[in-house]
Amino acid sequence: MLNEGPYSAKIGGATGIYPYKVKVERYLRDLNGYFSNKQLVDEMLSRGENPLIYVVYEIDRKSEGEFNVGCTIIYPGKIGDEYFFTKGHFHAKMQSSEVYIGISGEGIILMQDKNGRTFAEEIKPGTIVYIPPGLAHRSINTGKMELVFLAVYSSDAGHDYETIEKFGFAKIVVERNGKPTMIDNPRCCLKESK
Ligand code: PAN
Ligand code: ZN
């Protein structure tokens, strides 16, 4: 298949990048089962509270060897003391890596291998975070404003959400004494292997 032609796009504006091709919105209902305080999530949803947690604007490509470019905007907020985050995933094609570039706001990129060993990198404006092959990744907004970052990854990487949806990450990030703090995930089955 022939590749599509070159393009240029702008960074900025309400959508983070423009023009974009695909928009994905994730509300609390879409992340049901992900946050630690499941009872609070149930209560919120039954009260009709279903906040928008994050949005992804993407310029996707179809051919092998191409990159997708996406912009994720995670809104500030917490469920109980746990900061808003993305679902998190492994790439279906395990050898696929990814680059994140911080645009605004601040947060943590939490990564984890198949044995449950975790890694964390801060992201803020001007930061490049490299996610090597084989690591699941989740982005967490620990700040008071929107966390906005770009992601560049192979168009055929694929997203495997299942493992994280089932087991979560071995660590979670919560507010303690007004500060983001990484603690062991009390619900998690995959323990960090030292
Ligand atoms: C990112 C993520 C984006 C949303 O573009 O897809 O931040 O996170 P989830 O996909 O975990 O919901 C990326 O890592 N792409 O591969
Ligand atoms: Zn990814």
Side-chain angles (χ1 to χ4, degrees):
M1 194 209 278
L2 273 179
N3 291 358
E4 298 167 80
Y7 70 83
S8 68
K10 297 270 187 213
I11 297 170
T15 58
I17 50 172
Y18 59 96
Y20 64 88
K21 288 215 284 198
V22 183
K23 176 183 181 182
V24 179
E25 290 178 314
R26 299 284 184 220
Y27 290 85
L28 181 60
R29 191 176 299 285
D30 304 309
L31 277 85
N32 200 356
Y34 278 82
F35 288 98
S36 291
N37 194 337
K38 293 182 197 304
Q39 196 187 329
L40 178 57
V41 173
D42 287 344
E43 284 168 14
M44 287 175 71
L45 292 174
S46 64
R47 283 199 297 264
E49 278 178 54
N50 184 26
L52 182 59
I53 310 284
Y54 63 98
V55 189
V56 185
Y57 297 96
E58 198 156 60
I59 305 167
D60 62 337
R61 303 289 286 214
K62 302 280 178 268
S63 307
E64 198 184 343
E66 295 210 83
F67 289 128
N68 287 350
V69 177
C71 180
T72 302
I73 301 174
I74 309 177
Y75 294 96
K78 286 176 286 168
I79 300 296
D81 59 5
E82 192 174 16
Y83 295 96
F84 281 7
F85 55 55
T86 58
K87 286 184 167 189
H89 57 267
F90 285 96
H91 288 156
K93 206 173 191 176
M94 283 300 266
Q95 63 269 41
S96 285
S97 54
E98 183 154 5
V99 174
Y100 282 3
I101 301 159
I103 303 295
S104 59
E106 56 190 288
I108 292 173
I109 310 302
L110 182 61
M111 292 166 267
Q112 179 167 312
D113 68 17
K114 284 276 183 193
N115 299 316
R117 182 162 182 229
T118 56
F119 308 83
E121 297 291 344
E122 279 183 14
I123 190 159
K124 50 178 99 169
T127 306
I128 296 167
V129 176
Y130 176 67
I131 302 162
L135 296 189
H137 38 286
R138 161 176 290 165
S139 316
I140 302 149
N141 184 351
T142 56
K144 292 191 174 16
M145 53 191 275
E146 293 170 2
L147 171 62
V148 183
F149 62 90
L150 296 183
V152 182
Y153 63 102
S154 297
S155 62
D156 61 353
H159 294 110
D160 161 21
Y161 289 101
E162 223 177 286
T163 314
I164 296 302
E165 187 174 6
K166 216 162 155 190
F167 299 109
F169 281 78
K171 303 280 183 189
I172 58 172
V173 181
V174 295
E175 188 182 70
R176 289 279 186 275
N177 303 317
K179 287 207 185 89
T181 309
M182 194 150 68
I183 61 169
D184 286 337
N185 181 356
R187 291 174 174 272
C188 184
C189 318
L190 290 172
K191 288 287 170 221
E192 187 163 0
S193 60
K194 297 246 164 69

